[in-house]
Amino acid sequence: MKTNTLRAIRITLAAIFFIGITLLFLDFTGTLHAWLGWMAKIQFLPAALAMNAVVIAALILITVLFGRVYCSVICPLGIMQDIISWIHGKTKKKNRFRFRYSPERKWLRYGMLALFIAAFVLGIHSLAALLAPYSAYGRIASNLLAPLYQWGNNLLAEVAQRYDSYAFYEKEVWIKSMPTFITAAATFVIIFILAWKGGRTYCNTICPVGTILGFFSRRSIFVPVIDTEKCRNCGLCGRRCKASCIDMKKHEIDYSRCVACMDCIDTCHEGAIKWKNRYVKAPEHQDTDNMKVHEDRHDTGRRAFLTTAVLAGSSIAADAQKRKRKMPLVREKTRNERQTPVLPAGSLSLKNFADHCTACQLCVSVCPNNVLRPSTSLMTMMQPEMSFEKGYCRPECNRCSQVCPAGAIRPVSIEEKSSIQTGHAVVNLDLCVVNTDDVDCGNCARHCPADAITMVRKNPDDMLSVRIPAVNEQMCIGCGACENLCPARPIAAIHVEGHLIHKDI
């Protein structure tokens, strides 16, 4: 098999991963997660936080064997940079060969990695989430691409309804968190500029995952190798290398930064760069028959590369794979301030959630009830939390627990969710319409799915007095139906306070 064929296969696999992961963030129905959810679970950081030893071991093994294939095939942010760089290369013919060798900036690479690790250790998860490549792309897809996708869906729904078809249904488009939206937009602009001008600059100077994998790829086995006897020092390979890691003066490649894109091999007209085992040196003198055997060995090595990559990918996938409802809204209301945030069932505790969440926004994207939105708190910024202005957490929905790739929200069944207490309702009688407007209400009690709210006489001695809500905290599951449906404005008279540790009831 020729090397340009390997490059074509690499591009095909990268396209499949990029499209698949992007669709995970765009699909608000949650349908695709049953088929493509494993793609998110084999991302390096989510797998590490989920302590998925099989995935991490497989990724490291692939890196030791073939270099940073992860960065050029699996990582969506890396592939996005390739797309941007490729578009720039198409604008002018000379842009195709616009790169040049740049020495490794160890102080910056290892400095960013140290900052990333320190942020996790010190609990500054918002800073760590800024640097994580999968999380960065997730925010870009869910904040910048998803609204466009949803507007397109709404247009199709409107057209279909005119023909009495309900194949599509409308999805409310709204900005769930302005700080997260601004962060996503700024991240996209920065990475776009870096990729447009320098190709893989972000991957090889900032990305902590790229630096970690660089430790293993520095001594990887199957890599592009320059044959100094065939090389004419034309420099085309170096000017085509988007990782800027080919030093043509020394005929050396920095394998800690090489992302195994194989562009250099495709560019070389002399066949001076081959993908091979760099620890096996060819004999100095070979006759024709020996050269044929040598080429056959290369073909065998290439086939071994593909076979190993496919088997490794299959094992990872096998391990990982295990109509918008109309919300009963009345009017817009102001967000309640909580002493403790409310997190989805399956989060276990605030600490577990904060320690594992990558702030990728995948759970926010699939929440059908508009309950999950990114936090605006400094320490947990961009990590999702529950808010009930536009909906409430329905007991029959467990989508967020099914899609989380990092273990921040553990999988829970519908039956289990109904018995998990994530918080409890608190009544502010000063805001209740029973007191402010002197009317009967009982909306919170009528719609409580756990029957945790009862209406009692405001004056027990007066049988004609109005009724006010009373909460049984032992039965409340913290779903937020009462807060969402409370008619008091602008702040609901009843709100949910989260629990530091979730309880079973």
Side-chain angles (χ1 to χ4, degrees):
M1 184 180 294
K2 297 182 179 180
T3 307
N4 58 355
T5 304
L6 286 178
R7 179 174 177 272
I9 293 175
R10 191 268 303 171
I11 293 174
T12 302
L13 291 176
I16 292 173
F17 270 94
F18 184 74
I19 294 172
I21 293 174
T22 302
L23 288 176
L24 287 179
F25 288 96
L26 301 184
D27 177 33
F28 53 83
T29 67
T31 305
L32 293 178
H33 287 271
W35 303 93
L36 304 177
W38 61 273
M39 289 186 175
K41 294 180 180 179
I42 66 171
Q43 300 299 314
F44 190 90
L45 183 60
L49 293 178
M51 294 181 288
N52 194 328
V54 174
V55 172
I56 295 300
L59 293 177
I60 292 177
L61 176 62
I62 292 175
T63 305
V64 170
L65 290 175
F66 310 113
R68 287 171 55 179
V69 175
Y70 171 89
C71 299
S72 59
V73 174
I74 299 176
C75 177
L77 193 69
I79 302 170
M80 185 185 80
Q81 293 173 78
D82 286 346
I83 295 173
I84 295 171
S85 180
W86 177 80
I87 293 174
H88 187 199
K90 290 295 182 180
T91 56
K92 291 182 180 180
K93 190 174 182 180
K94 65 178 181 179
N95 288 338
R96 188 167 178 258
F97 300 100
R98 66 188 185 278
F99 304 113
R100 62 180 180 177
Y101 173 72
S102 174
E104 180 186 10
R105 295 178 175 85
K106 290 185 178 181
W107 64 272
L108 182 56
R109 296 183 71 188
Y110 299 141
M112 297 304 294
L113 177 60
L115 179 64
F116 177 77
I117 295 174
F120 261 112
V121 173
L122 298 176
I124 311 175
H125 301 98
S126 55
L127 177 58
L130 279 176
L131 302 175
Y134 166 73
S135 302
Y137 181 77
R139 289 189 294 274
I140 292 171
S142 60
N143 286 276
L144 305 184
L145 299 181
L148 300 177
Y149 180 85
Q150 291 164 6
W151 279 323
N153 169 83
N154 293 347
L155 179 61
L156 290 175
E158 183 177 349
V159 173
Q161 288 176 13
R162 294 180 181 179
Y163 293 93
D164 295 327
S165 172
Y166 294 92
F168 301 91
Y169 60 92
E170 291 188 1
K171 170 70 175 178
E172 183 180 6
V173 183
W174 58 296
I175 297 178
K176 299 178 176 66
S177 170
M178 184 56 69
T180 301
F181 179 85
I182 294 174
T183 301
T187 302
F188 176 75
V189 170
I190 292 172
I191 291 179
F192 182 92
I193 294 173
L194 292 176
W196 187 266
K197 291 186 174 182
R200 288 283 188 139
T201 302
Y202 177 86
C203 289
N204 290 330
T205 57
I206 300 175
C207 178
V209 174
T211 302
I212 292 172
L213 294 179
F215 286 120
F216 300 97
S217 66
R218 196 180 293 272
R219 295 287 182 265
S220 53
I221 300 173
F222 294 95
V223 292
V225 177
I226 300 175
D227 187 340
T228 55
E229 294 184 359
K230 292 183 178 181
C231 179
R232 295 192 306 151
N233 294 315
C234 66
L236 287 179
C237 57
R239 297 203 300 271
R240 183 77 185 278
C241 177
K242 57 199 170 195
S244 301
C245 65
I246 301 179
D247 186 351
M248 285 309 304
K249 293 182 179 179
K250 298 180 179 180
H251 294 92
E252 293 179 352
I253 300 175
D254 183 356
Y255 296 115
S256 73
R257 293 185 291 154
C258 175
V259 294
C261 67
M262 305 180 195
D263 287 350
C264 58
I265 302 176
D266 185 62
T267 301
C268 184
H269 301 304
E270 304 301 323
I273 305 180
K274 297 289 186 180
W275 179 274
K276 63 180 182 180
N277 185 338
R278 60 169 164 162
Y279 297 109
V280 176
K281 295 185 177 180
E284 294 184 1
H285 302 286
Q286 299 180 8
D287 55 24
T288 305
D289 292 336
N290 286 338
M291 290 180 64
K292 184 176 184 305
V293 172
H294 189 62
E295 291 298 323
D296 289 342
R297 286 176 179 173
H298 279 318
D299 288 342
T300 302
R302 295 181 187 120
R303 287 192 291 270
F305 162 75
L306 292 175
T307 302
T308 305
V310 170
L311 290 176
S314 300
S315 65
I316 295 174
D319 178 75
Q321 189 67 294
K322 290 242 176 197
R323 292 170 141 233
K324 175 190 173 188
R325 296 180 176 92
K326 294 287 184 180
M327 293 296 103
L329 298 175
V330 181
R331 286 179 293 166
E332 293 291 333
K333 61 174 66 175
T334 303
R335 187 172 183 173
N336 283 81
E337 294 297 329
R338 310 177 202 281
Q339 295 181 356
T340 305
V342 187
L343 301 178
S347 302
L348 303 183
S349 67
L350 261 67
K351 184 179 187 305
N352 175 79
F353 187 83
D355 289 345
H356 290 82
C357 179
T358 64
C360 70
Q361 313 299 309
L362 190 55
C363 58
V364 177
S365 299
V366 302
C367 179
N369 305 310
N370 292 327
V371 172
L372 287 175
R373 60 172 62 181
S375 170
T376 56
S377 173
L378 182 61
M379 297 299 290
T380 60
M381 185 173 289
M382 300 180 293
Q383 290 189 349
E385 62 184 26
M386 299 172 75
S387 196
F388 308 106
E389 291 79 53
K390 291 182 174 291
Y392 65 93
C393 189
R394 296 177 180 266
E396 68 273 14
C397 175
N398 63 349
R399 285 187 188 174
C400 59
S401 75
Q402 301 301 312
V403 303
C404 179
I409 309 175
R410 307 297 172 88
V412 293
S413 65
I414 299 300
E415 294 75 14
E416 291 172 331
K417 181 180 178 181
S418 298
S419 62
I420 296 175
Q421 188 180 60
T422 61
H424 65 276
V426 178
V427 181
N428 185 344
L429 293 177
D430 293 335
L431 299 177
C432 184
V433 294
V434 173
N435 286 326
T436 59
D437 299 341
D438 196 27
V439 295
D440 287 325
C441 180
N443 216 27
C444 53
R446 284 194 299 273
H447 294 93
C448 178
D451 292 328
I453 303 176
T454 56
M455 302 301 293
V456 299
R457 297 286 180 186
K458 181 179 179 180
N459 184 354
D461 298 328
D462 183 2
M463 297 302 295
L464 299 178
S465 68
V466 293
R467 296 177 181 271
I468 57 175
V471 179
N472 184 340
E473 294 185 4
Q474 301 301 317
M475 296 178 62
C476 180
I477 59 175
C479 67
C482 54
E483 180 177 335
N484 173 246
L485 300 173
C486 177
R489 294 295 187 275
I491 300 176
I494 184 169
H495 75 278
V496 179
E497 279 293 335
H499 287 173
L500 293 174
I501 300 176
H502 293 180
K503 307 174 184 177
D504 292 328
I505 57 175

